[in-house]
Amino acid sequence: MTLSEFLMPTKEYTARRGPMDKIVLSSRVRLARNLFQLPFPAKAKKSVHLKILNEIKQAVQTIPDISSEGLIVSMDELSNNDKTVLVERHLISREHAKRGAGSGLAINKEENISLMINEEDHLRMQAIFPGSQVRNAWKKIDSIDTLLGKVLNYAFHPQYGYLTACPTNLGTGIRVSAMLHLPGLVLRDQINQIINAVNKIGLAVRGIYGEGSAALGNLFQASNQMTLGITEESIVSKLEKVINALIENEEEARRHLLAEKGQITLLNHIGRAYGILSNAYSIDSQEALNYLSLIRLGVDLGIFPHGDRSMVEELFLFIQKGHFQLFSKDSLSTPQQRDIARASLLREGILKFGTPRQVKTASSSEKGI
Amino acid sequence: MTLSEFLMPTKEYTARRGPMDKIVLSSRVRLARNLFQLPFPAKAKKSVHLKILNEIKQAVQTIPDISSEGLIVSMDELSNNDKTVLVERHLISREHAKRGAGSGLAINKEENISLMINEEDHLRMQAIFPGSQVRNAWKKIDSIDTLLGKVLNYAFHPQYGYLTACPTNLGTGIRVSAMLHLPGLVLRDQINQIINAVNKIGLAVRGIYGEGSAALGNLFQASNQMTLGITEESIVSKLEKVINALIENEEEARRHLLAEKGQITLLNHIGRAYGILSNAYSIDSQEALNYLSLIRLGVDLGIFPHGDRSMVEELFLFIQKGHFQLFSKDSLSTPQQRDIARASLLREGILKFGTPRQVKTASSSEKGI
């Protein structure tokens, strides 16, 4: 299998489903590990990078998922666009995309396991699952960690736990996170209040472009802050509780929007998004993502006569720079050319959903609305 | 004929045409006159207002256009909504709409002559014609002025000319103006440069909400500033020249937008306006006016397969508060209710234009675009 065949997303990829995936797009657990008595990547020479890369690559061969049908590469084997595609699929970090020889990547065919070699730490491994299933993601990556721990000599301190390049990861080296789609809370103007409440109990909720920036596409990431002096089990269960609370709040907000007489607020936002996406002749990826978020909400609530979720997932993925380039026959070298081509793709894609319309709900039919 | 029958706009009204009316919506000439030895309205007692109103009303009977099929009313005979409708049709000023007993109004059936009695001056009379024809408007109102001058004793000073309540109108008492639709110059970002150039030669060009504010619906008013020490003839011909220059500049801007490869800028703006108007569920009159401006441009340039100008004129008129209320069967008491009903009217109306599409132009077919 060639690299571009590997990167080309399949129908199966955009059709993936998970528990509560109308609200929770994905659940991810990441572990940070380093090798005993070797300098962290930022302090290591090139020869040490290569030695570490080689050692971990060999260890990765013991993971059946990856050794049979997966991909193990050095970062210098990837083109810039390959790297952008991998970032857009949440398989590598933006930081790792900047690296070349001496750093590496391993992923399995289902793309739910990925290992970054010589990113900030010698090894960062993640399991990412569709929908709300942080516990399953944790079990998966924990099993990988156990396999690798048999062949790699991890830097582990009896008092501090796993040693990491940045002290914020010290101890368990775990980061548990979920990507949530919360347009209901945004439309009802309740999102900031919710974010503040969650932050107070020691977890972070951020717009996907990080703290302080507006949430792009109504997408938010909830994650743990602490990694030291607390068990993995308690981190996972604390995050599960917060995710469930966010789901309940978002569902409540969506019920309110549906129950409003005429569903005006909902139809006004979704209708305008539909109108712009189906008629614009130039659109950048951020604006497109914001409107697609509302299309996704409309599909979830049954407001579109024909649209389904995998159609939305495809558009979400394909409008992004790297994927867009992957599918373009012509090379679209300027942002202007991409904005025009993206608008063309969206005009065609969005019309298939049909015009938004008011939906009957249990409460609206009871009230005879 | 009842007042509401008089106010109800007819198909003939929205189908009116005039020279160059793709760019110049209307041309208007207004004259300010006062009666000899009577105090200006702001200084006069109620009894004096009534005396003046009565005297001018009788004089107006000598104008055949108005006495046969026109309307002569006291302002207290009009409801608030009637007054709003008259403002939206450019037949009275916002200031005059606030007046009651003691002030009056006379208009002819074609609605191209209107006389406000006891506004800022005892008498303000205007002729307003569709398209670019300030000279015809001037001839028309000059003939009315001549008729009235035979029966009314105007306050006229041999050195200063016609005396007016505000010194900015002293002398000729004339204001010549044209309402221009300049979306091409706005889209090409050339409008401020043009406005500055016109202002330098002693004429004013303003957004229709006045100086400093953004131009609503890409609509601009060009008018004379000086009224004293200059003949009516030279004011009219100076304004004619400026209007012609603005027309040329706007036409040039539209040609550029059409000649651009793929007409992307044009289609992007007009498409988005079409998408929003045909899918919004709540919209205020200002936002609607801004998008309708682009629909109007699209119709002028042949970008819509089915839309015609009188369809645009109707929507322009009907989305405004007073007209909207005139046509509503239900009383729409809150702005929110009006915004929802306006969006519904627009969704239905705009779809009749058909989806915007690229148009062939002489230059584009030459270049094989």
Side-chain angles (χ1 to χ4, degrees), chain B residues 177-353:
Chain B
S177 64
M179 175 91 82
L180 296 114
H181 187 228
L182 306 175
L185 291 170
V186 172
L187 288 182
R188 303 237 325 138
D189 210 12
Q190 298 175 323
I191 191 73
N192 289 327
Q193 175 188 342
I194 302 268
I195 287 177
N196 291 339
V198 175
N199 290 349
K200 271 182 194 153
I201 58 166
L203 295 175
V205 178
R206 301 188 182 95
I208 62 161
Y209 268 180
E211 273 173 293
S213 61
L216 201 60
N218 302 311
L219 293 171
F220 296 84
Q221 189 187 54
S223 65
N224 65 309
Q225 297 277 58
M226 296 213 310
T227 56
L228 184 66
I230 181 168
T231 64
E232 285 92 342
E233 165 59 38
S234 68
I235 290 172
V236 168
S237 60
K238 197 169 177 184
L239 208 76
E240 280 182 327
K241 278 181 200 146
V242 164
I243 292 166
N244 288 337
L246 288 168
I247 292 172
E248 272 177 41
N249 280 294
E250 172 66 16
E251 283 179 335
E252 176 69 11
R254 294 183 182 190
R255 271 195 299 274
H256 267 280
L257 290 166
L258 280 173
E260 186 192 50
K261 187 164 180 276
Q263 299 167 353
I264 297 298
T265 306
L266 202 58
L267 285 168
N268 195 37
H269 281 89
I270 294 171
R272 284 164 177 253
Y274 172 84
I276 290 170
L277 292 176
S278 54
N279 288 284
Y281 276 75
S282 172
I283 192 163
D284 69 28
S285 61
Q286 299 206 0
E287 195 189 1
L289 189 56
N290 283 332
Y291 294 135
L292 280 178
S293 157
L294 294 166
I295 302 297
R296 185 184 171 107
L297 177 65
V299 168
D300 287 348
L301 298 180
I303 279 172
F304 288 104
H306 311 304
D308 71 32
R309 270 287 297 288
S310 47
M311 286 159 65
V312 186
E313 299 295 342
E314 265 188 34
L315 290 174
F316 255 94
L317 204 60
F318 293 1
I319 58 157
Q320 295 181 78
K321 190 186 157 191
H323 281 82
F324 203 76
Q325 199 76 53
L326 197 64
F327 286 94
S328 298
K329 281 151 209 152
D330 311 315
S331 172
L332 300 167
S333 49
T334 70
Q336 287 74 20
Q337 288 174 321
R338 277 199 297 275
D339 289 352
I340 292 168
R342 180 182 297 108
S344 168
L345 181 145
L346 283 164
R347 281 201 308 280
E348 203 178 306
I350 287 294
L351 284 177
K352 293 184 189 143
F353 289 74

Side-chain angles (χ1 to χ4, degrees), chain A residues 12 17 24 42 59 64 82 103 117 154 183 194 198 204 217 228 231 257 261-262 289 337 356 363 366:
Chain A
E12 289 74 44
R17 288 289 167 272
V24 185
D82 293 340
S103 290
I117 305 163
Y154 287 150
I194 301 268
V198 175
L228 185 64
T231 64
L257 291 165
K261 185 165 181 276
L289 188 56
Q337 288 174 322
S363 67
E366 274 163 31

Side-chain angles (χ1 to χ4, degrees), chain A residues 23-298:
Chain A
I23 293 169
V24 185
L25 301 206
S26 62
S27 299
R28 169 156 49 169
V29 177
R30 181 269 283 157
L31 300 176
R33 298 289 181 261
N34 287 278
L35 302 186
F36 185 62
Q37 283 188 333
L38 284 168
F40 294 127
K43 299 275 172 100
K45 283 186 289 189
K46 196 166 182 183
S47 60
V48 179
H49 284 155
L50 290 170
K51 176 182 144 62
I52 294 165
L53 176 60
N54 199 40
E55 187 177 339
I56 298 181
K57 270 187 175 179
Q58 286 191 2
V60 168
Q61 297 289 352
T62 64
I63 306 171
D65 265 6
I66 296 177
S67 59
S68 62
E69 287 194 299
L71 178 80
I72 307 176
V73 286
S74 204
M75 292 308 283
D76 58 341
E77 294 169 54
L78 300 169
S79 71
N80 283 337
N81 200 62
D82 293 340
K83 290 173 175 179
T84 306
V85 168
L86 290 165
V87 170
E88 292 167 2
R89 292 252 267 287
H90 309 291
L91 294 171
I92 65 171
S93 63
R94 284 181 196 279
E95 292 67 35
H96 204 53
K98 292 172 195 149
R99 294 175 200 256
S103 290
L105 169 70
I107 40 184
N108 66 343
K109 188 159 183 286
E110 297 92 306
E111 297 186 16
N112 56 19
I113 303 166
S114 115
L115 293 89
M116 294 186 287
I117 305 163
N118 283 326
E119 201 239 25
E120 188 180 283
D121 295 295
H122 295 155
L123 178 57
R124 289 198 162 192
M125 48 188 145
Q126 73 166 23
I128 180 168
F129 282 18
S132 180
Q133 42 180 338
V134 287
R135 187 166 296 272
N136 290 337
W138 176 46
K139 281 183 195 158
K140 183 75 185 177
I141 205 64
D142 189 49
S143 73
I144 304 284
D145 185 42
T146 304
L147 277 178
L148 291 175
K150 287 177 188 164
V151 283
L152 293 172
N153 191 8
Y154 287 150
F156 183 84
H157 185 279
Q159 190 181 350
Y160 300 127
Y162 292 103
L163 300 181
T164 54
C166 178
T168 58
N169 294 314
L170 199 64
T172 53
I174 198 173
R175 173 125 311 158
V176 185
S177 64
M179 175 89 83
L180 296 115
H181 186 228
L182 305 174
L185 291 171
V186 172
L187 288 182
R188 303 238 325 138
D189 212 11
Q190 297 174 324
I191 191 72
N192 289 328
Q193 177 188 339
I194 301 268
I195 287 177
N196 291 340
V198 175
N199 290 349
K200 273 183 194 153
I201 58 166
L203 295 175
V205 178
R206 304 189 180 92
I208 62 161
Y209 268 180
E211 273 172 294
S213 62
L216 201 59
N218 303 311
L219 292 171
F220 296 84
Q221 191 187 54
S223 65
N224 65 309
Q225 297 276 61
M226 296 212 310
T227 55
L228 185 64
I230 181 168
T231 64
E232 286 92 343
E233 165 60 38
S234 68
I235 291 171
V236 168
S237 59
K238 197 169 176 183
L239 208 76
E240 278 182 328
K241 278 181 199 144
V242 164
I243 292 167
N244 288 337
L246 288 167
I247 292 173
E248 272 178 40
N249 280 294
E250 173 67 15
E251 283 179 336
E252 177 68 13
R254 292 183 183 191
R255 271 195 300 273
H256 267 281
L257 291 165
L258 280 172
E260 186 192 52
K261 185 165 181 276
Q263 299 167 354
I264 297 298
T265 307
L266 202 57
L267 284 168
N268 194 37
H269 281 89
I270 295 172
R272 284 165 178 251
Y274 172 84
I276 290 170
L277 291 176
S278 54
N279 288 283
Y281 276 75
S282 172
I283 192 163
D284 68 29
S285 60
Q286 300 206 359
E287 193 189 4
L289 188 56
N290 283 331
Y291 294 135
L292 280 178
S293 156
L294 294 165
I295 302 297
R296 185 185 171 107
L297 176 65

Side-chain angles (χ1 to χ4, degrees), chain A residues 325-346:
Chain A
Q325 199 78 52
L326 197 64
F327 285 94
S328 298
K329 281 152 211 150
D330 310 316
S331 173
L332 300 166
S333 49
T334 70
Q336 287 74 20
Q337 288 174 322
R338 276 198 300 274
D339 290 352
I340 292 168
R342 181 182 297 107
S344 169
L345 180 145
L346 284 164

